[in-house]
Amino acid sequence: MNTQFPIAAFKNIETPFYYYDMDLLNETLATARREASKYEGFHIHYAVKANFNPMILEAVREQGLGADCVSGGEVNAALRAGISADKIVFAGVGKTDKEIALALDAGIFCFNIESIPEVEAIERLASERNVVTNVAIRVNPNVGAHTHANITTGLAENKFGVNYEQLDEVIDVIESCNHLKLIGLHFHIGSQILVMDDFIALCSRINELQSLLRENRSIVLPHINVGGGLGIRYDAPDEYDIPDFALYFQTYAKHLCLQKGQQLHFELGRSLVGQCGSLITRVTYVKRGSRKQFAIVDAGMNDLVRPAMYGAYHKIENLTSCKECELYDVVGPVCESSDVFCKDIELPATDRGDFFAIRSAGAYGEAMAFGYNCRALPKAYYSDTI
Ligand code: LLP
């Protein structure tokens, strides 16, 4: 039985809910910051999309990290949390005029631009305001990451970024704009990446590209942004609670040839917040089918969509039983056959009312919750205030 959870307190709370271990969160953020600060010019922008819960954003701000945002709503959330505008980067293929305007008015550090029509829109809105804004080109490096097909982003077939053959034209257009300053290149190859080889492949692409730009166009840009993507161990959340940030930053320090004074930016999401969160749910019924036994819990795919959407594995623990193990499918109450958290797992024999923790749910858990079946959005509780 896992004793790190305050079961007595849980018994007074309506389930399902997200529970955040704030000590682990703070230690994870501090470790990432410390490891990055070993290298000059390394900056972390927390990827707000992973979890925009205000308590999480506050912890991010306290550690002095910046923010990586992909919508006007996220820019506002970061600003509200007190993250300073000059540490905010704004990416996304479909920024609307309204979102661009709000980011310009806030004075964010940089737009990661993804197409020529977007460059034109930002130029027009910046010119109306008579301001000059920083932009970086999101380059599609055509590097495949060894991860789920739905979360790779760096392949030529993905909608993201500017492909190599269009790069010259995009640079020309930006250079012809009076209100845009090209300051960098931005990359992101995908998410939940555990093998450093993928990041090394990205480094060699960036090195090639930097040499080409220097030789062909005498361009050296002051900022390189390598995106995020560092994965977490869903199979062993307690043994690997803090990801190996030392190895991650060292990999970039070793393989990326930065030019003198060049600043390196990271947009980490999952690795910073994934392991500190669990979805806590109660068993509503145990149902014995003809071939299977189902533990029907009160959390559904609307509370945590990753298993249904990506076939993702999250470790499940029974927090209130230490009986002998039996085989269960853990399923939710939503009217979809894909509302399954895990099939055929061994769990201590389970009764109605048992508490389960669905682990490693701090990233893309609460942030992706939705209201299907008129279900309420899950609430959140924190280890330091529960
Ligand atoms: N930067 C960019 C441009 C991104 O697209 C992403 C994630 C990140 C940074 C942060 O990546 P991370 O460090 O968290 O891997 N909902 C999916 C993950 C989608 C990731 C989208 N982009 C999931 O639940 O696995």
Side-chain angles (χ1 to χ4, degrees), residues 105-166:
D105 293 339
I108 63 160
F109 169 58
C110 187
F111 288 86
N112 293 327
I113 63 97
E114 312 221 8
S115 67
I116 290 176
E118 184 193 335
V119 170
E120 291 163 353
I122 300 176
E123 166 67 9
R124 179 173 48 77
L125 291 158
S127 123
E128 282 169 18
R129 286 166 174 72
N130 203 19
V131 293
V132 175
T133 190
N134 290 336
V135 298
I137 304 174
R138 176 164 180 182
V139 181
N140 187 335
N142 203 12
V143 171
H146 296 93
T147 183
H148 191 279
N150 285 7
I151 52 176
T152 65
T153 45
L155 286 173
E157 66 206 55
N158 294 130
K159 69 179 173 184
F160 299 102
V162 168
N163 290 336
Y164 274 38
E165 53 288 4
Q166 303 161 312

Side-chain angles (χ1 to χ4, degrees), residues 78-220:
L79 292 170
R80 262 200 310 273
I83 296 174
S84 78
D86 61 5
K87 288 184 181 167
I88 295 180
V89 294
F90 185 9
V93 292
K95 303 176 192 80
T96 63
D97 282 13
K98 192 173 160 197
E99 290 175 313
I100 294 168
L102 106 78
L104 284 171
D105 293 339
I108 63 160
F109 169 58
C110 187
F111 288 86
N112 293 327
I113 63 97
E114 312 221 8
S115 67
I116 290 176
E118 184 193 335
V119 170
E120 291 163 353
I122 300 176
E123 166 67 9
R124 179 173 48 77
L125 291 158
S127 123
E128 282 169 18
R129 286 166 174 72
N130 203 19
V131 293
V132 175
T133 190
N134 290 336
V135 298
I137 304 174
R138 176 164 180 182
V139 181
N140 187 335
N142 203 12
V143 171
H146 296 93
T147 183
H148 191 279
N150 285 7
I151 52 176
T152 65
T153 45
L155 286 173
E157 66 206 55
N158 294 130
K159 69 179 173 184
F160 299 102
V162 168
N163 290 336
Y164 274 38
E165 53 288 4
Q166 303 161 312
L167 195 55
D168 267 317
E169 192 191 347
V170 176
I171 295 174
D172 290 341
V173 175
I174 295 173
E175 286 185 340
S176 74
C177 292
N178 294 326
H179 300 86
L180 305 185
K181 185 167 173 217
L182 179 59
I183 62 153
L185 299 173
H186 173 231
F187 306 83
H188 175 75
I189 52 172
S191 202
Q192 182 51 18
I193 297 168
L194 288 167
V195 281
M196 292 302 122
D197 290 359
D198 290 336
F199 298 123
I200 296 173
L202 174 62
C203 289
S204 32
R205 278 312 176 101
I206 300 176
N207 293 341
E208 275 164 33
L209 189 60
Q210 290 232 76
S211 310
L212 278 176
L213 286 177
R214 204 177 43 237
E215 281 153 28
N216 298 347
R217 304 196 53 150
S218 309
I219 292 180
V220 177

